[in-house]
Amino acid sequence: MQGAEPILSLKAVRKMFGPQAAVDSIDLDIAEGEFFTIVGPSGSGKTTMLRMLAGMDTPTSGDILLNGKRINDVPANKRPTCMVFQSLALFPHRTVGQNIEFPLKIRGEDPERRKARALQLMDLLRLPQSYYAKNVLKCSGGERQRVALARALAYDPQILFFDEPLSAIDYKLRKTLEKELKDIHRETKKTFVYITHSLEEAMVMSDRIGVMRAGKLVQVGTPQEIYSTPNTRFVSEFVGDVNVIPVTLGSDGLLHSPTGATYKPPRIPPGFRDGHLVIRPEYLKFLASPGEADNAISGSLYNEYALGSRIQYQVRVGETVFVVEKLRQQPFTGQLDDTVTIGWDAQDAILVTD
């Protein structure tokens, strides 16, 4: 968050497993009160990084700083942080209230104060107070997620870490909990550090996102920056559907593709010679004539897919399939196998390297 002092910093942090660097020389500052999400495919190093932040693993080299103090060797139970696990790790033989109160009981809080705090957190997490005496196993999956989060908040940690807590939940409930988690973050003003393989989750909830690949943070930015200005093809393709064209910058100032087609370029990054032209599906449009856009290509309308409020169309141009996306209230009236012209304006595309 702009202007805020970092509560958590990583300085050249590396974690080796034998000759393999699971996390490779990471530098990162996370601001107090920020919702920071780490995304990446399986094996990218995001879980290893989270475990080091939470105190469950020790870096091979580099430093982790909490409020400016080195905590590399401070065990998890001595840190002012708490982890919400994918498995939730609730006590199955205890009630909702007993699960939430557990951290307070360990601290020696008296029963009345424990119950009052548990009920307060249940209200915050939208759990009916009547659930206080309910066995946690009789709760739904979404309710158990809320209990786990309430228990984590009962510790009153400075930072909450989340290890893919929504990955095992059905789609509709996951969408609801994403919004609730963002609301809870806003209400509690705690620092949240969240890992997921779902960029969609990250886009909904996060203040900033860090994209990991092969142990490195390849890009850090706001959801808008990650989506609109990815710095590599990997990031662009990881963050939703894209149309990607390999190109080389010619001496004529145009982009040349292997098919022989040329395109008017967007802003050209310093030093760019070759790479990929990336166009998001929502920036492609069907054209009545090629002159309606800076760049135009013709192909065959191959298929269409209804995606709730959006419709995606596939257009085959030679061996390449382009994806065009329109809002449902603005559908395209062409028929499958029609020859169509699609295009985009230069400023609506971006150039990336590999």
Side-chain angles (χ1 to χ4, degrees):
M1 296 174 70
Q2 199 168 24
E5 290 297 319
I7 187 173
L8 192 63
S9 295
L10 291 83
K11 307 294 185 186
V13 169
R14 174 176 286 186
K15 181 64 177 180
M16 304 295 296
F17 293 105
Q20 181 71 33
V23 171
D24 193 0
S25 300
I26 298 289
D27 290 294
L28 177 67
D29 288 334
I30 297 174
E32 185 170 5
E34 184 172 22
F35 196 132
F36 188 89
T37 300
I38 304 163
V39 299
S42 296
S44 61
K46 58 187 186 296
T47 298
T48 300
M49 186 162 143
L50 190 73
R51 287 179 60 86
M52 287 190 289
L53 293 176
M56 292 181 283
D57 278 337
T58 303
T60 304
S61 60
D63 290 319
I64 299 174
L65 308 177
L66 179 64
N67 295 315
K69 296 181 180 178
R70 186 177 184 274
I71 58 167
N72 289 32
D73 302 315
V74 178
N77 63 347
K78 300 294 184 182
R79 300 185 183 192
T81 62
C82 189
M83 174 83 85
V84 179
F85 293 95
Q86 182 179 350
S87 65
L88 304 184
L90 295 171
F91 300 114
H93 58 288
R94 294 183 178 176
T95 66
V96 168
Q98 288 170 337
N99 268 279
I100 296 171
E101 290 178 18
F102 180 75
L104 305 174
K105 185 176 181 180
I106 294 298
R107 285 184 191 166
E109 298 262 1
D110 67 72
E112 285 189 12
R113 288 173 62 88
R114 295 202 308 258
K115 183 172 183 179
R117 179 59 175 156
L119 292 174
Q120 182 185 39
L121 289 168
M122 288 172 69
D123 288 342
L124 177 66
L125 273 298
R126 299 176 180 86
L127 286 165
Q129 291 196 359
S130 60
Y131 279 34
Y132 179 83
K134 184 175 183 177
N135 185 281
V136 75
L137 292 181
K138 295 183 179 179
C139 294
S140 69
E143 289 164 349
R144 287 197 290 272
Q145 290 283 346
R146 293 183 176 95
V147 173
L149 183 52
R151 184 180 64 181
L153 288 168
Y155 282 92
D156 195 26
Q158 291 184 35
I159 304 173
L160 276 83
F161 298 113
F162 297 85
D163 181 12
E164 302 203 54
L166 306 184
S167 61
I169 296 177
D170 68 78
Y171 180 82
K172 186 175 180 180
L173 179 58
R174 188 165 70 248
K175 295 290 103 184
T176 299
L177 290 176
E178 284 172 6
K179 294 175 182 176
E180 289 188 1
L181 199 56
K182 186 171 184 177
D183 290 343
I184 291 161
H185 172 256
R186 183 177 178 85
E187 291 172 23
T188 62
K189 298 179 172 58
K190 298 286 187 183
T191 304
F192 284 13
V193 179
Y194 192 100
I195 69 165
T196 179
H197 62 275
S198 169
L199 198 281
E200 188 178 359
E201 268 183 41
M203 295 289 285
V204 169
M205 297 186 292
S206 312
D207 295 315
R208 284 192 306 151
I209 297 169
V211 183
M212 289 197 72
R213 183 188 191 189
K216 293 184 178 292
L217 269 178
V218 293
Q219 188 168 354
V220 177
T222 66
Q224 180 63 28
E225 289 167 343
I226 295 291
Y227 185 81
S228 299
T229 55
N231 58 13
T232 65
R233 180 179 179 179
F234 170 80
V235 175
S236 73
E237 292 181 328
F238 191 76
V239 188
D241 295 316
V242 287
N243 299 288
V244 179
I245 306 171
V247 291
T248 300
L249 182 62
S251 58
D252 55 3
L254 297 176
L255 299 172
H256 295 251
S257 78
T259 64
T262 59
Y263 306 107
K264 183 178 178 181
R267 184 187 66 82
I268 300 172
F272 182 88
R273 289 291 175 266
D274 55 70
H276 295 86
L277 184 66
V278 174
I279 314 106
R280 294 284 179 195
E282 64 268 28
Y283 287 116
L284 274 176
K285 48 195 173 186
F286 291 101
L287 307 177
S289 66
E292 292 180 346
D294 292 335
N295 296 295
I297 49 180
S298 294
S300 174
L301 186 62
Y302 179 71
N303 221 331
E304 66 177 64
Y305 305 93
L307 303 173
S309 62
R310 302 166 290 125
I311 300 176
Q312 279 192 354
Y313 302 89
Q314 285 187 339
V315 177
R316 284 192 178 275
V317 180
E319 298 298 316
T320 304
V321 176
F322 287 84
V323 179
V324 185
E325 186 172 288
K326 295 177 70 66
L327 294 175
R328 181 175 286 278
Q329 63 264 39
Q330 301 170 331
F332 177 63
T333 56
Q335 303 297 311
L336 297 185
D337 298 323
D338 282 355
T339 297
V340 296
T341 300
I342 58 175
W344 67 95
D345 291 325
Q347 74 271 12
D348 292 331
I350 55 173
L351 286 169
V352 299
T353 61
D354 286 325

